[in-house]
Amino acid sequence: SRACLASERNVSSHALCGCLQQVANRTLDIGEQRRAAKIIRKPQMAQDIKMSNSASNEAFWQRYKNFGAHAAQTCSS
């Protein structure tokens, strides 16, 4: 939620960031949430994780995509 509010994106609002946090709480564990927050602050990390051959990065990326899909469905209004 804090990473969302601090992001440079113009769409950041308390309601949207709160919704994203609720979805994150349901789809990502706390460590994954921290990692996702780092991606918001450093978008290059997303590309690095996505292109990695690491099984753990691949598993995280699938869960992160799932979070994104659920967030888009739940928080778009």
Side-chain angles (χ1 to χ4, degrees):
S1 184
R2 288 186 308 245
C4 175
L5 289 169
S7 76
E8 296 176 2
R9 295 175 178 93
N10 291 333
V11 295
S12 297
S13 72
H14 287 284
L16 174 61
C17 293
C19 180
L20 292 174
Q21 183 63 57
Q22 289 176 356
V23 174
N25 290 343
R26 289 193 308 264
T27 59
L28 301 171
D29 68 30
I30 192 68
E32 293 167 339
Q33 288 181 39
R34 287 186 187 114
R35 198 170 187 191
K38 288 178 185 177
I39 290 172
I40 292 171
R41 291 190 302 270
K42 298 178 183 179
Q44 178 61 37
M45 279 186 68
Q47 188 66 21
D48 296 343
I49 293 168
K50 186 176 171 182
M51 301 306 291
S52 170
N53 289 328
S54 162
S56 64
N57 279 345
E58 186 174 325
F60 167 76
W61 189 251
Q62 290 303 315
R63 287 188 298 275
Y64 184 72
K65 285 183 4 180
N66 182 49
F67 157 71
H70 279 76
Q73 185 178 26
T74 304
C75 301
S76 62
S77 47

